[in-house]
């Protein structure tokens, strides 16, 4: 079985070329000019052919919260967003803190076949922050990293043990930086907008304090650490300084911190409630600067789908999180590429190549012999209609916004797993 | 002139002209409150519901009397006796009340923005009677009516608002209203009860020394201190609070001799305000209560007179 994509602008992190791409047996068999094949031929003239997006951070909610999302709906949504590989967090019910849960998620994803799923196992048993979980078993079952995301590892000694122990399995710990005594009661960024809305704020210190601690722990233990969903200028600076000292740290930010700021909460829009909170334009600029200079390694979605019943209520009570798969590429393309801040190649580096390298998984590159994981996109405008999301989570503050860069088709291991409806 | 919006959710989003119109109408309504026969037909055939998710005596009674003085059909719902206890959501409660033919829902809620959410789901007009730490627009309007009566206007006045500013919906609405009308507002209190540095509202001054706020002020407004704030460690003791942040006669000597003393009530006498000040000739705290009924009458009248109502 072969498929030929003709005349696409193939974009990798290190450059672009207009060429044909031949898929055979799930792999990229050949890239070149004037290729032919006896199978299906797709003319992709005018479209970009990009490596499948690799998401270092999402929530598939399965097992336990299938009413919000499950592995099938989540991976379908991921494919619709151009993702071909995603790493899902462990805060399920039961928690993914043992090989059985890891295998369940992986098998269900493989069966669905929309997108590769690499589970992230819990750092601590039941996310309780008391004892480290069975990292070795989970790694053997398919986990690629460990995180208690959703909750911080407040106990410094436990984090230290996790950093040391995970090194044996050639993996990494991803931390959710949050000082709970500072975030308690807070619902949005502490700043002028929160004051104007009369909503309790969450300071930058609540995120930056734990990052400073975690960087020191990683440094002292020569361990690999990954910082999740950074949102402030101070976080960027702390990580910049740590990298300069040689700390083995990587970090991610999300499309929503790059596209939106705290004013999205105006009108008490519960869909803009997220943890950490949306910050200011100055923070956004610092994150972008960090992307440009290499401090910020990757853009991850933190796809956090919620049921309408968990959102449709008072801002204070509403669940935190944004359903991000289906707007991630377009919002970053619009904010960063279309505006001229980053070339598309750099976005490919941040959303494809580097995430794959951090997780040590295949993908992130269009190259002969590699799995045929890629997507086609164009430059056209489209309007976000949350109700049409394939994700069960329709919770997005981007509903109704016009974005550029549409995902047209997604291929995973050479199979067409998503095609945009006309 | 009617309000431009269906609801009165706060003073942030209404214009100077609308505020003036409300105050003018309230002045007329005050004749009813002060007169011998407290019954007009302004709201004849209109249905008003007060929906209070938080305890209140004066605001709820004030709205209730305002409704009844104008012959409305009025009903009260306290959250403790409502379906909330059975797990009903705010939006479902709103829709249920709305479908009973209600014209106006007056709502108090412990969470900021709750009336804004409700307003999106109902045809009834919503009046915010206090939402969390956001706004209490009718309180600010009655404060403004009191100030206008005594001072003749707002332009150039210095208004000192003292106390727990960060948790005060009264302070927030007064800032929006008074600054819109041309007054200068200075907010003062312990740093732990003011917005953190960098989080201040624009167009107003903040200071940690109450003396600086009160000096040459035309109006001194003390805010109620909720004593549970001490339990949360936001100030060390009631005694110390009264010493450094309370409004006492010595502090009032710094203000202009004809300065008004105001307080949204209920007062903690001897804490945020001393009895000497609260009961002095400069105090218009009781006048505020009367003006509260007049302002609420004005609003109900204006909000039920719009097209289609």
């Amino acid at each position: 079985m072969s498929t030929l994509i003709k005349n696409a602008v193939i974009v990798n992190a290190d450059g672009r070329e207009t060429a044909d791409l031949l898929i055979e047996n799930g792999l990229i068999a050949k890239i070149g000019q004037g290729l032919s094949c006896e199978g299906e031929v797709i003319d992709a003239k005018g479209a970009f052919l990009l490596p499948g997006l690799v998401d270092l951070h999402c929530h598939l909610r399965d097992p336990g919260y299938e009413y919000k999302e499950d592995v099938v709906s989540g991976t379908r949504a991921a494919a619709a967003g151009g993702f071909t590989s995603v790493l899902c967090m462990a805060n399920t019910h039961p928690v993914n803190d043992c090989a059985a849960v890891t295998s369940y998620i992986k098998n269900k994803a493989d069966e669905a076949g929309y997108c590769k799923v690499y589970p992230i196992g819990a750092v601590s048993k039941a996310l309780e922050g008391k004892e480290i979980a069975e990292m070795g078993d989970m790694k053997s079952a398919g986990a690629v990293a460990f995180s208690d995301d959703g909750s911080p590892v407040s106990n410094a000694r436990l984090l230290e043990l996790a950093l040391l122990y995970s090194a044996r399995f050639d993996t990494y710990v991803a931390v959710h930086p949050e000082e709970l005594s500072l975030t308690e009661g807070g619902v949005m960024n502490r700043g002028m907008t929160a004051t104007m809305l009369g909503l309790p704020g969450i300071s930058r210190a609540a995120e930056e304090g734990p990052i400073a601690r975690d960087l020191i722990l990683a440094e002292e233990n020569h361990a690999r650490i990954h910082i999740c969903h950074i949102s402030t200028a101070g976080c960027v600076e702390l990580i910049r300084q740590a990298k300069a000292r040689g700390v083995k740290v990587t970090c991610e930010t999300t499309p929503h911190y790059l596209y939106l700021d705290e004013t999205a909460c105006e009108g008490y829009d519960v869909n803009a409630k997220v943890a950490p909170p949306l910050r200011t334009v100055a923070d956004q600029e610092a994150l972008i600067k960090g992307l440009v200079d290499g401090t910020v390694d990757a853009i991850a979605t933190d796809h956090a789908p919620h049921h309408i019943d968990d959102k449709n209520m008072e801002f204070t009570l509403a669940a935190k999180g944004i359903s991000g798969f289906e707007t991630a590429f377009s919002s970053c393309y619009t904010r960063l590429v279309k505006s001229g801040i980053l070339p598309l190649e750099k976005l490919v580096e941040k959303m494809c190549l580097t995430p794959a390298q951090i997780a040590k998984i295949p993908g992130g590159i269009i190259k002969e012999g590699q799995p045929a994981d890629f997507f086609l996109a164009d430059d056209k405008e489209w309007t976000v209609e949350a109700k049409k999301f394939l994700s069960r989570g329709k919770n997005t503050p981007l509903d109704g916004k016009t974005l550029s860069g549409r995902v047209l088709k997604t291929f995973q291991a050479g199979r067409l797993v998503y095609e945009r409806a006309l | 002139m009617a309000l431009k919006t269906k609801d009165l959710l706060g003073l942030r989003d209404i214009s100077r002209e609308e505020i003036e119109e409300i105050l003018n109408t309230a002045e007329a309504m005050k004749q009813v409150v002060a007169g011998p026969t407290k019954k007009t037909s302004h709201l004849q055939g209109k249905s008003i519901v007060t929906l209070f998710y938080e305890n209140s005596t004066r605001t709820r009674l004030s709205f209730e009397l305002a409704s009844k003085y104008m012959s409305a059909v009025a009903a009260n719902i306290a959250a403790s006796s409502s379906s909330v206890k059975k797990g009903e959501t705010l939006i479902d409660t709103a829709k249920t009340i709305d479908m009973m033919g209600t014209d106006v829902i007056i709502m108090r809620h412990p969470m900021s923005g709750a009336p804004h959410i409700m307003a999106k789901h109902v045809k009834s007009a919503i009046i915010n009677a206090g939402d969390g730490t956001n706004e209490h627009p009718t309180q600010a309007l009655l404060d403004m009516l009191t100030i206008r009566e005594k001072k003749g206007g707002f332009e150039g006045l210095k208004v000192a608002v003292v106390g727990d500013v960060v948790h005060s919906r009264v302070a927030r609405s007064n800032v929006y209203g008074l600054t819109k009308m041309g007054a200068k507002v200075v907010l003062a209190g312990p740093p732990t009860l003011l917005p953190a540095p960098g989080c201040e509202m624009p167009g107003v001054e903040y200071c940690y020394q109450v003396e600086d706020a009160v000096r040459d002020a035309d109006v001194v407004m003390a805010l109620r201190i909720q004593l549970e704030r001490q339990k949360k460690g936001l100030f060390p003791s009631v005694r110390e609070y009264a010493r450094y942040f309370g409004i006492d006669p010595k502090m009032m000597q710094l203000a202009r001799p004809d300065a008004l003393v105001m307080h949204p009530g209920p007062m903690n006498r001897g804490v945020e305000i001393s009895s000497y000040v609260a009961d002095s000739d400069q105090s218009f705290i009781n006048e505020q209560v009367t003006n509260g009924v007049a302002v609420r009458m004005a609003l109900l009248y204006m909000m039920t007179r719009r097209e289609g109502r």
Side-chain angles (χ1 to χ4, degrees), chain B residues 20-83:
Chain B
E20 265 170 9
E21 186 65 21
I22 295 166
L23 298 183
N24 292 343
T25 312
E27 268 181 8
M29 292 298 178
K30 200 170 171 185
Q31 307 302 318
V32 179
V33 184
T37 307
K38 296 170 183 58
K39 200 72 174 173
T40 74
S41 57
H42 288 111
L43 298 183
Q44 186 85 48
K46 300 296 181 188
S47 165
I48 313 286
V49 170
T50 55
L51 173 61
F52 275 52
Y53 286 85
E54 213 180 47
N55 291 335
S56 162
T57 305
R58 67 186 61 211
T59 303
R60 204 174 89 172
L61 181 61
S62 182
F63 270 114
E64 195 176 333
L65 290 177
S67 306
K68 288 183 172 168
Y69 289 171
M70 294 193 293
S71 307
V73 177
N76 301 315
I77 304 170
S80 58
S81 60
S82 77
S83 303

Side-chain angles (χ1 to χ4, degrees), chain B residues 95-262:
Chain B
K95 286 179 178 167
T96 302
I97 299 169
D98 199 39
M99 292 311 287
M100 292 185 187
T102 315
D103 293 294
V104 182
I105 301 172
I106 297 151
M107 181 183 177
R108 170 168 287 194
H109 198 283
M111 291 168 198
S112 301
H116 302 68
I117 292 165
M118 195 174 224
K120 288 178 193 157
H121 291 88
V122 295
K123 286 185 193 146
S124 316
I126 301 285
I127 296 179
N128 181 2
D131 63 325
T133 54
N134 179 37
E135 283 217 50
H136 193 349
T138 59
Q139 174 69 42
L141 287 166
L142 73 88
D143 292 339
M144 292 167 75
L145 180 63
T146 311
I147 293 170
R148 195 174 79 165
E149 277 177 354
K150 305 301 167 196
K151 296 289 177 190
F154 302 98
E155 207 67 54
L157 289 184
K158 179 182 180 186
V159 181
V161 180
V162 179
D164 184 0
V165 169
V166 77
H167 298 103
S168 175
R169 50 198 178 204
V170 175
R172 204 167 269 96
S173 281
N174 266 300
V175 166
Y176 290 130
L178 287 167
T179 55
K180 222 166 255 182
M181 304 307 284
K184 176 185 174 185
V185 180
V186 184
L187 301 163
T192 48
L193 295 176
L194 292 178
C199 304
E200 299 93 345
M201 293 167 80
V204 284
E205 273 182 38
Y206 289 85
C207 54
Y208 297 157
Q209 307 287 342
V210 177
E211 290 83 352
D212 292 343
V214 171
R215 190 168 290 114
D216 299 323
D218 298 285
V219 179
V220 177
M221 189 183 296
L223 298 172
R224 174 176 167 74
I225 281 292
Q226 289 184 281
L227 298 175
E228 69 263 27
R229 306 279 181 227
Q230 191 199 329
K231 286 184 195 143
K232 289 186 177 172
L234 294 176
F235 60 92
S237 71
V238 168
R239 187 196 58 77
E240 183 165 299
Y241 185 90
R243 178 176 173 189
Y244 292 101
F245 306 103
I247 304 296
D248 58 15
K250 196 175 157 202
M251 190 74 83
M252 282 306 296
Q253 283 175 7
L254 299 170
R256 290 176 65 92
D258 59 349
L260 312 182
V261 170
M262 301 176 78

Side-chain angles (χ1 to χ4, degrees), chain A residues 195-196 198 266 268 313-314, chain B residues 12 109 112 133 172 176 199:
Chain A
T195 304
M196 305 271 282
E266 287 279 8
Y268 302 93
M313 59 182 72
E314 296 88 327
Chain B
R12 185 180 176 192
H109 198 283
S112 301
T133 54
R172 204 167 269 96
Y176 290 130
C199 304

